[in-house]
Amino acid sequence: MLRLTQFLKQQETPADLIELVNLLMAACKEIDGKLQDGALAGILGAAETENVQGETQKKLDVIANDILKLTLSNTNLVAGLASEEEDDPVACDPEGKFLVTFDPLDGSSNIDINVSVGTIFSILEAPNDSDPAQQAAYLQSGRKQVAAGYVLYGPSCILVMTTGNGVHMFTLGSNGEFYLTRESVQVPQTTKEFAINMSNQRFWDQPVKDYVADLLQGEEGPLGKRYNMRWIASMVAEVHRILTRGGIFMYPWDSRAPQKPGKLRLMYEGNPMSFLIEQAGGRSVNTQIDIMDVEPEQIHERVSVVLGSKEEVETVLRYHGN
Ligand code: AHM
Ligand code: MG
């Protein structure tokens, strides 16, 4: 079986990018270890802090963020980083070539119930003469990503990543090495499985209400097939399911926070997941355009997300008149 580094070399990935991915994986292995220790290490439950979005942080959100921050600050490859759990970007090495944005522990409401969570990352090049302590350096569209991926901490610890040459999956072995376990993953074009938090139904806009109402009618409705539903409340786990067997995942705008486009964040959730989904032949849109074409204006900006099997995502676009 091929090790991560061997595989990336075979793909002619630049040496500095391989080194950065390996550093990220060293941090993720440490996070995986903390998750496995769980209650034994006294690290479950809430921290006494909130992040910039006003969400209560879990202790493990803070621990995972600190692990990634420390790792990425100790290399000359990274000019700066931006994290869901940091109010402002953090400058690292002024000579660094890359910027890294990440959600250190996505789906963290699942930590205390021992259900899958993940780390999501996006790698950009640092623009010449930019200041990595300022958000302007990071405000690049998803099309500019040089690599993106996630690590799913589930029954197995799995890295899923792309450098723009397809999507590949690697499983962490007991010897601490990631091995290639699925190459060139493709999302099936059609699906009969959807994922949305149904408890928000009354807050959605009319096209989403209409589409989901039609899904629920199954073979008796206009979509003509019976659908199954899943909701794990962990985007990493949902995207992993979709990359594995197809499906559609939606976190659309809703009227609970009408001035925001949705719950999920563009720079470290929407863009990296969209890069993976597109590389695997799926689609990822904000109900109007491809998420990777959105020009970001703020580091913590939110985005409406509809991603997965291409034909199903395009059905949702049609409900929105697109
Ligand atoms: P987080 O980054 O604070 O963990 O929030 C993102 C998560 C996603 O993983 C998941 O899809 C969504 O929030 C679930 O939200 P909800 O609890 O509203 O269903
Ligand atoms: Mg999170």
Side-chain angles (χ1 to χ4, degrees), residues 186-191 225 245-247 277 280-283 308-315:
Q186 284 289 305
V187 180
Q189 301 285 294
T190 60
T191 185
K225 49 185 173 177
R245 68 177 190 213
I277 290 287
R283 257 195 102 174
S309 294
K310 197 162 188 260
E311 287 186 17
E312 201 64 42
V313 172
E314 288 171 357
T315 300

Side-chain angles (χ1 to χ4, degrees), residues 4 8 21 25 28 119-122 147-153 156-163 166-172 178-185 187 236-237 239-244 272-273 275-277 279-280:
L4 172 62
L8 291 176
V21 169
M25 287 316 105
C28 288
T119 297
I120 311 173
F121 62 90
S122 164
Y150 61 76
V151 173
L152 171 63
Y153 309 105
S156 306
C157 178
I158 298 179
L159 161 68
V160 179
M161 66 166 290
T162 184
T163 57
V167 175
H168 315 290
M169 297 186 177
F170 306 84
T171 304
L172 181 62
F178 280 96
Y179 291 95
L180 178 70
T181 40
R182 277 195 67 194
E183 194 175 345
S184 303
V185 174
V187 180
V236 173
V239 169
H240 195 70
R241 183 185 64 251
I242 289 171
L243 286 170
T244 305
M273 293 311 204
F275 195 13
L276 292 169
I277 290 287
Q279 281 289 311

Side-chain angles (χ1 to χ4, degrees), residues 77-88:
L77 293 169
V78 176
L81 59 90
S83 160
E84 179 179 338
E85 308 302 344
E86 296 284 334
D87 295 4
D88 300 307

Side-chain angles (χ1 to χ4, degrees), residues 89-293:
V90 177
C92 301
D93 188 315
E95 302 297 314
K97 178 174 172 187
F98 300 107
L99 300 172
V100 184
T101 70
F102 54 85
D103 179 353
L105 214 51
D106 182 65
S108 48
S109 70
N110 281 334
I111 295 169
D112 295 346
I113 57 168
N114 202 25
V115 170
S116 296
V117 290
T119 297
I120 311 173
F121 62 90
S122 164
I123 303 175
L124 298 161
E125 282 194 4
N128 288 339
D129 302 324
S130 62
D131 179 355
Q134 300 296 324
Q135 59 171 340
Y138 301 77
L139 301 181
Q140 308 179 37
S141 83
R143 301 268 171 228
K144 301 266 177 67
Q145 294 173 102
V146 293
Y150 61 76
V151 173
L152 171 63
Y153 309 105
S156 306
C157 178
I158 298 179
L159 161 68
V160 179
M161 66 166 290
T162 184
T163 57
N165 282 316
V167 175
H168 315 290
M169 297 186 177
F170 306 84
T171 304
L172 181 62
S174 51
N175 61 353
E177 292 279 349
F178 280 96
Y179 291 95
L180 178 70
T181 40
R182 277 195 67 194
E183 194 175 345
S184 303
V185 174
Q186 284 289 305
V187 180
Q189 301 285 294
T190 60
T191 185
K192 292 181 179 176
E193 196 160 66
F194 72 97
I196 192 166
N197 185 337
M198 286 292 294
S199 68
N200 297 328
Q201 191 170 27
R202 70 199 157 100
F203 304 114
W204 299 331
D205 63 8
Q206 200 55 46
V208 176
K209 281 183 179 159
D210 291 345
Y211 170 65
V212 174
D214 289 349
L215 287 178
L216 297 179
Q217 284 190 64
E219 64 274 46
E220 292 162 18
L223 298 169
K225 49 185 173 177
R226 185 177 294 190
Y227 285 82
N228 184 31
M229 197 199 93
R230 288 286 184 273
W231 188 251
I232 310 173
S234 167
M235 189 192 199
V236 173
E238 317 271 9
V239 169
H240 195 70
R241 183 185 64 251
I242 289 171
L243 286 170
T244 305
R245 68 177 190 213
I248 186 165
F249 167 89
M250 290 169 281
Y251 214 119
W253 171 91
D254 70 54
S255 62
R256 290 172 303 166
Q259 67 286 19
K260 295 177 185 164
K263 177 179 181 186
L264 301 175
R265 280 57 52 119
L266 175 64
M267 299 300 297
Y268 38 81
E269 291 174 329
N271 275 338
M273 293 311 204
S274 300
F275 195 13
L276 292 169
I277 290 287
E278 282 197 15
Q279 281 289 311
R283 257 195 102 174
S284 181
V285 303
N286 67 356
T287 70
Q288 303 300 322
I289 60 169
D290 289 333
I291 286 178
M292 286 207 288
D293 288 327

